[in-house]
Amino acid sequence: MDTGTDHSHSHSHAHAHGPVHPVSRHLRNVIAAVLVPFAVAVVAGLIVLWPGGVPAHQRTGVGFDQQTQSGQVVKIVSLKCSEANAGSGASGDASICKRATIEVTSGKDKGRTFTEIVQPTQSRQYSLNQKVVLAYAPKAPKELQYSVTDVDRSFPMYLLAGLFAVAVIAIGRMRGLLALIALVISFAILSLFILPAILRGDPPLLVAVIGSSAIMLIALYMCHGLNARTSVAVIGTLCSLFLIGVLGSVFIAWSHLTGNTSDETGTIHALYPNIEIRGLLLAGVIIGSLGVLDDVTVTQTSAVWELKEADPTADWRKLYIAAMRIGRDHIASVVNTLVLAYAGAALPLLLLFSIASRSVLGVAGSELVAEEIVRTLVGSIGLVASVPLTTVMAALVVSADRGHNNGVSSGGRRRRAK
């Protein structure tokens, strides 16, 4: 029963732990009527499409499809490149090379050693006791079965991840810890559901929508609580993802983008011919947009709720106008961030085009760059659209709650919404 005592308790709780914005039972039911069937559909999709692991394939030994083992540099000897029969080009025979002895530290050949000649012009130079990643070719002659393919970066990567976790928890406290847990769950859904399901041959768009929706529901509700404010952000994010999916489908097809623009996609298509590469491109657009969308929709919804807390008499129009002023600043900064993030990732590619002295239109028309342009602009349109959409929904929800809108009577009793 909605008594004055209950309201008084929640009011004092608000002062102790931050503002509490009550939403009437009727509004909660309306929001639940939208989100509960959606959540059930997402769970059903996860169950039906759950792949049960990455499909097996015959290893080609090419690129990322190599078998790998761990290794360590146990000895380094300097010698003339002419003695090592590894001429160093313009530097001449007097140049000093290095002979690195590398020990296999994992697998059935643990303890076996082999040598590699390192020329002075090579970008990768070895140091004693350095850990490395070895490519293993079981069908090659014994002396050629192992070769260094990369440096083992496990320790610095784990250390950086640990520093990130400490910083998030130290500043975010419980909210930061929940965010980290949600991040782990997101990666679990990505690695256990989205990637294996796509490799199995399921439609990438459908898999991306179900997987992204599951990530969105878990991350938002875990980090921001199971309440009306978060639910409005979820609905705003969902609508924006739908818009991104539609626009992405139209412009990827219209621009005749194949999605097969890199060695990685070519290798994937060769190993798993059933994968729809163009659908993979669209799935990437949707998943890539999700993180920024979450940020924008949660921020806008929180802004509306806080504006209502500051001015309980404000109607939905006043709330919308005030929150949109915040939203426009957010749009300007986030869109710029998106474009620069994509430009930074594609910087070597842009440098190559610059060296080739091609025109801006010529560069933009090439599939490699056009793919990134479509990805950026489609995601940005969805991002921009999410601001007014989420803001107007939040303003209508918080204003339609007559119990919150009309305040408390002199007796301290909230009016019930009829």
Side-chain angles (χ1 to χ4, degrees), residues 73-86 96-102 114-120 122 125-128:
V73 179
V74 293
K75 186 179 180 182
I76 297 177
V77 177
S78 296
L79 72 166
K80 289 182 179 180
C81 292
S82 56
E83 296 177 10
N85 196 24
I96 301 299
C97 290
K98 293 179 180 178
R99 180 188 287 125
T101 302
I102 296 146
F114 65 97
T115 59
E116 280 201 1
I117 301 300
V118 184
Q119 298 184 34
Q122 283 183 215
Q125 298 290 319
Y126 300 131
S127 58
L128 194 61

Side-chain angles (χ1 to χ4, degrees), residues 238-269:
L238 179 63
C239 294
S240 301
L241 283 177
F242 176 77
L243 175 62
I244 289 171
V246 171
L247 287 175
S249 298
V250 170
F251 282 94
I252 286 173
W254 200 359
S255 303
H256 301 286
L257 298 177
T258 63
N260 194 4
T261 55
S262 67
D263 293 339
E264 289 79 14
T265 51
T267 302
I268 290 169
H269 191 55

Side-chain angles (χ1 to χ4, degrees), residues 276-311:
E276 184 189 349
I277 298 297
R278 181 179 287 181
L280 194 62
L281 172 59
L282 181 57
V285 173
I286 291 174
I287 294 171
S289 302
L290 179 62
V292 186
L293 274 176
D294 286 355
D295 173 43
V296 172
T297 54
V298 168
T299 299
Q300 286 305 112
T301 307
S302 296
V304 172
W305 251 260
E306 295 302 325
L307 287 167
K308 184 66 175 178
E309 180 73 15
D311 184 6

Side-chain angles (χ1 to χ4, degrees), residues 35 42-43 63 77 97 132 144 156 163 172 235 275 336 351 358 360:
L35 289 181
V42 169
V43 173
V77 177
C97 290
V132 291
L144 300 176
L163 291 174
I235 295 173
I275 293 179
N336 195 41
L351 287 172
R358 293 182 59 177
V360 174

Side-chain angles (χ1 to χ4, degrees), residues 67-403:
Q67 296 185 46
T68 60
Q69 298 292 347
S70 300
Q72 185 173 4
V73 179
V74 293
K75 186 179 180 182
I76 297 177
V77 177
S78 296
L79 72 166
K80 289 182 179 180
C81 292
S82 56
E83 296 177 10
N85 196 24
S88 56
S91 298
D93 292 338
S95 297
I96 301 299
C97 290
K98 293 179 180 178
R99 180 188 287 125
T101 302
I102 296 146
E103 180 182 350
V104 180
T105 57
S106 66
K108 64 183 182 65
D109 294 322
K110 184 176 180 180
R112 195 200 318 194
T113 60
F114 65 97
T115 59
E116 280 201 1
I117 301 300
V118 184
Q119 298 184 34
T121 54
Q122 283 183 215
S123 58
R124 182 186 297 143
Q125 298 290 319
Y126 300 131
S127 58
L128 194 61
N129 298 323
Q130 183 178 19
K131 296 182 184 299
V132 291
V133 178
L134 308 177
Y136 173 54
K139 295 182 180 179
K142 186 174 181 180
E143 66 275 10
L144 300 176
Q145 285 183 334
Y146 288 95
S147 61
V148 178
T149 185
D150 207 346
V151 173
D152 187 345
R153 302 179 180 88
S154 303
F155 179 73
M157 300 301 285
Y158 286 138
L159 179 61
L160 183 59
L163 291 174
F164 167 72
V166 169
V168 169
I169 294 173
I171 297 173
R173 298 185 181 178
M174 182 55 68
R175 187 67 60 88
L177 177 61
L178 291 174
L180 288 176
I181 295 173
L183 182 63
V184 171
I185 294 173
S186 297
F187 272 105
I189 293 174
L190 183 65
S191 58
L192 298 179
F193 173 71
I194 296 178
L195 300 181
I198 290 175
L199 290 175
R200 191 177 64 178
D202 293 329
L205 178 58
L206 179 62
V207 171
V209 168
I210 293 174
S212 297
S213 299
I215 290 172
M216 174 186 66
L217 290 171
I218 293 170
L220 288 182
Y221 282 119
M222 180 174 286
C223 295
H224 304 287
L226 188 63
N227 51 50
R229 180 195 297 203
T230 308
S231 297
V232 171
V234 167
I235 295 173
T237 305
L238 179 63
C239 294
S240 301
L241 283 177
F242 176 77
L243 175 62
I244 289 171
V246 171
L247 287 175
S249 298
V250 170
F251 282 94
I252 286 173
W254 200 359
S255 303
H256 301 286
L257 298 177
T258 63
N260 194 4
T261 55
S262 67
D263 293 339
E264 289 79 14
T265 51
T267 302
I268 290 169
H269 191 55
L271 295 174
Y272 298 94
N274 294 330
I275 293 179
E276 184 189 349
I277 298 297
R278 181 179 287 181
L280 194 62
L281 172 59
L282 181 57
V285 173
I286 291 174
I287 294 171
S289 302
L290 179 62
V292 186
L293 274 176
D294 286 355
D295 173 43
V296 172
T297 54
V298 168
T299 299
Q300 286 305 112
T301 307
S302 296
V304 172
W305 251 260
E306 295 302 325
L307 287 167
K308 184 66 175 178
E309 180 73 15
D311 184 6
T313 63
D315 62 7
W316 75 269
R317 290 181 182 85
K318 185 175 180 180
L319 291 173
Y320 174 78
I321 292 170
M324 278 302 295
R325 286 197 291 269
I326 300 171
R328 290 186 189 101
D329 288 338
H330 206 176
I331 286 173
S333 60
V334 172
V335 167
N336 195 41
T337 301
L338 272 180
V339 173
L340 290 178
Y342 283 123
L347 196 57
L349 176 64
L350 297 178
L351 287 172
L352 286 176
F353 279 116
S354 179
I355 292 169
S357 300
R358 293 182 59 177
S359 66
V360 174
L361 289 178
V363 171
S366 65
E367 183 167 4
L368 273 172
V369 178
E371 185 178 296
E372 295 303 323
I373 290 174
V374 170
R375 189 196 309 270
T376 304
L377 296 184
V378 165
S380 298
I381 290 171
L383 180 67
V384 170
S386 71
V387 173
L389 180 64
T390 307
T391 304
V392 73
M393 282 194 298
L396 288 171
V397 166
V398 78
S399 299
D401 186 0
R402 282 176 285 180

